[in-house]
Amino acid sequence: MSTTPSALASSSGEVQELPALVFLGPPGTYSHQAAFDTFGDSVHYVAKQTITDVIESLSSEVPFGIIPQENSTNGSVIETYNLLRCEVVGRDSFVRGETSMPIEHSLVVRKNVKIEDIEHVFSHEQALGQCKAFLKGFLPRASLVPTDSTASAARALLNPPSESFDPFKSAAICSTVVTSLFPDLEVLRTGIQDGESNITRFYVVSYGMDVGIPWQTPPTYQKRALIRLLPDRDSVAWDSSRAIKALNIPISRIDRRPSLYSAPFHDVYFLEVYADGGKESDVTWFDCVNQAVERLRQAGLESTVLGIW
């Protein structure tokens, strides 16, 4: 943790003459912590209930957001990639940067609850997936209840979603910071995530490509871009070799999701590309990416730049 829980909590409640940044709330989520570590006091924090709400909230009045993109244990965040399929991304909103944060999950309960009492475990689906080994070993009979966020899981212990959930027979997987926000909660176990290294990468998003990002410390990562590809609707399968040849830029990752518009089983692809540091060129990275997208279009591939950073 790079800041105190009290400072983190107050950062989301103070109304300041600062640009607004939306994050997956409520206060106390890992998204909130990642945003604060990245932007500090340079923005006014606004919590949203879902990742979808974060993207849909972006506007000239709310220019910035942060969304989880991938976890080193549980893989890509499906809700984020589902959103990247939408036309608004690459038209009005764009990926403008990234940040990563180590994630340490804890099992949090109402005070005096023991592990043998637990029948239900609340958390975001990503956190539940990142703690499979612990849940299988210590709570194999507990029902797993997905929530909008890890902090929402903690709140469910104080205000159960229905009468069928006894808060004194329930637990939440979340950050230890929630015990400072909610005094009736305590930590039962710490470090329950699978594996020694559990890191989540976040995308920094903005409304428009031209607005300056108010970094607390300017990032030094490699130049990257995110491109969305929609194969020909009439083709039986995606010709990856044709796309890679036309792109002619190093690719660091390829993700796919079912397309919103094509025929069944014709997926949309997301290519994250990066600048080759070993090559010298007079062409800017921005122009290099846009030239690559134009080559893709000439090859018959519908493509959109979703972000450059």
Side-chain angles (χ1 to χ4, degrees), residues 230-246:
L230 191 62
D232 300 332
R233 301 189 183 190
D234 297 331
S235 62
V236 177
W238 183 50
D239 185 354
S240 59
S241 61
R242 180 161 61 108
I244 293 170
K245 181 179 179 180

Side-chain angles (χ1 to χ4, degrees), residues 25 150 221 235 248 290:
T150 53
Y221 46 69
S235 62
N248 196 29
N290 281 285

Side-chain angles (χ1 to χ4, degrees), residues 5-6 33-34 42 59-60 122 152-153 174 176 230-231 236 245 247 271 305:
S6 59
Q33 179 69 59
S42 66
S59 66
S60 56
F122 296 92
S152 295
C174 51
T176 57
L230 191 62
V236 177
K245 181 179 179 180
L247 188 64
L271 277 61
V305 177

Side-chain angles (χ1 to χ4, degrees), residues 182-299:
F182 309 121
D184 290 335
L185 302 181
E186 65 180 3
V187 176
L188 195 60
R189 295 282 194 282
T190 59
I192 65 171
Q193 67 278 354
D194 298 342
E196 297 181 0
S197 177
N198 186 39
I199 298 172
T200 293
R201 183 182 185 228
F202 298 83
Y203 279 152
V204 174
V205 293
S206 72
Y207 185 75
M209 278 287 286
D210 299 328
V211 59
I213 306 296
W215 304 105
Q216 182 171 237
T217 302
T220 58
Y221 46 69
Q222 192 173 33
K223 292 178 181 178
R224 295 183 181 273
L226 183 64
I227 298 169
R228 181 177 61 215
L229 282 181
L230 191 62
D232 300 332
R233 301 189 183 190
D234 297 331
S235 62
V236 177
W238 183 50
D239 185 354
S240 59
S241 61
R242 180 161 61 108
I244 293 170
K245 181 179 179 180
L247 188 64
N248 196 29
I249 297 179
I251 302 171
S252 60
R253 62 178 297 136
I254 299 176
D255 295 270
R256 69 175 185 174
R257 296 296 299 148
S259 171
L260 294 174
Y261 310 110
S262 295
F265 305 111
H266 280 59
D267 297 335
V268 58
Y269 293 81
F270 303 95
L271 277 61
E272 193 169 304
V273 299
Y274 63 94
D276 188 344
K279 291 184 178 180
E280 293 186 5
S281 174
D282 294 330
V283 180
T284 66
W285 178 232
F286 182 87
D287 289 339
C288 183
V289 172
N290 281 285
Q291 289 171 9
V293 168
E294 182 58 32
R295 291 194 296 271
L296 289 168
R297 290 170 180 164
Q298 291 176 1

Side-chain angles (χ1 to χ4, degrees), residues 129-163:
Q130 293 163 26
C131 301
K132 288 180 179 178
F134 175 85
L135 293 169
K136 182 179 180 180
F138 292 91
L139 295 166
R141 294 182 177 83
S143 65
L144 307 183
V145 186
T147 58
D148 291 328
S149 69
T150 53
S152 295
R155 291 194 176 200
L157 301 180
L158 303 173
N159 299 291
S162 72
E163 294 181 357

